[in-house]
Amino acid sequence: MKKLVLFVMALMVSVAANAQFEKGKAYIGASLSGLSLDYSGSDKGHLGLQGMGGFMFADNLLAMARVAYDKQKDVPYTMTLGAGARYYIVQNGLYLGAGASWKHASGYNDLLPTVQVGYAFFINGSVTIEPEIYYEQSFKNHKDYSKIGLRVGLGVYL
C-alpha cells in the first residue's frame, strides 16, 4: 500500500510539472547571486539581483529576457540586459539554458554569452525554487570578468 501511495504522489507531481512546460505559458522570475557564491579574478565579493520574464513558444522551450543589478565591493554598480532560452530536458524541471547579456558600468561595456544548467523545483502547482549553475564568458577580459557561479531564484509559471 505504501508503494502505491508513493507511486500516485510521484505521478501527480510529474503531471503537474508537465503542465507547466507547455506552449503558451508565461514565466516570471527573480534570483539572487553573489554572497560569495561565484568566482572571478576581479571580484572580492558581491551581491547580484535579477528579474526575468519569458514565454513558452513551444513545449519545453522558454524564451526569456532579463535585467540585473550587481554591486561589488570597491567597484561601481553594473546593470545587465540580456536575452536567452531554456530547454527543459525532462518534465520534472531539469533545464539547460543559453543566452547573451550586455553589461554596463561606468567606463565598462561587455558582451557576455552565458550557459546554465538548473532545476525548477515545484513547491506548488506554479511556483518554483530554481537553483542553477552558470558560466559567463567575457569578451572584454576573460581572466578578470568571466564568471562561474551559483544562482538561486523563484519562478512563477502562469
Side-chain angles (χ1 to χ4, degrees):
M1 182 67 175
K2 199 177 201 181
K3 289 181 183 180
L4 179 62
V5 170
L6 289 174
F7 174 74
V8 169
M9 288 175 61
L11 183 62
M12 288 172 55
V13 168
S14 69
V15 167
N18 183 27
Q20 299 307 322
F21 305 131
E22 292 176 343
K23 181 178 178 179
K25 295 282 186 176
Y27 171 81
I28 299 171
S31 66
L32 178 67
S33 64
L35 300 174
S36 298
L37 295 176
D38 64 10
Y39 171 81
S40 74
S42 66
D43 284 349
K44 293 184 173 82
H46 82 276
L47 175 64
L49 302 170
Q50 80 175 348
M52 300 163 289
F55 186 75
M56 299 290 261
F57 63 92
D59 286 352
N60 300 324
L61 289 171
L62 174 70
M64 57 193 307
R66 75 179 186 106
V67 62
Y69 172 85
D70 261 348
K71 177 60 179 133
Q72 300 177 18
K73 184 178 180 180
D74 302 329
V75 177
Y77 71 90
T78 60
M79 293 294 294
T80 304
L81 297 174
R86 281 185 186 172
Y87 174 69
Y88 292 88
I89 298 171
V90 290
Q91 290 299 318
N92 66 0
L94 183 64
Y95 65 84
L96 296 175
S101 299
W102 176 72
K103 188 176 277 191
H104 171 74
S106 179
Y108 169 79
N109 289 304
D110 199 357
L111 178 66
L112 302 155
T114 304
V115 294
Q116 63 264 4
V117 61
Y119 186 79
F121 176 74
F122 282 86
I123 55 178
N124 70 22
S126 60
V127 178
T128 58
I129 295 174
E130 299 178 346
E132 77 177 18
I133 297 171
Y134 67 94
Y135 177 72
E136 294 178 340
Q137 172 65 50
S138 172
F139 280 145
K140 188 167 186 99
N141 182 335
H142 170 73
K143 180 181 150 224
D144 290 334
Y145 299 120
S146 293
K147 188 179 291 186
I148 187 167
L150 173 68
R151 272 193 281 258
V152 178
L154 289 174
V156 179
Y157 294 80
L158 307 169

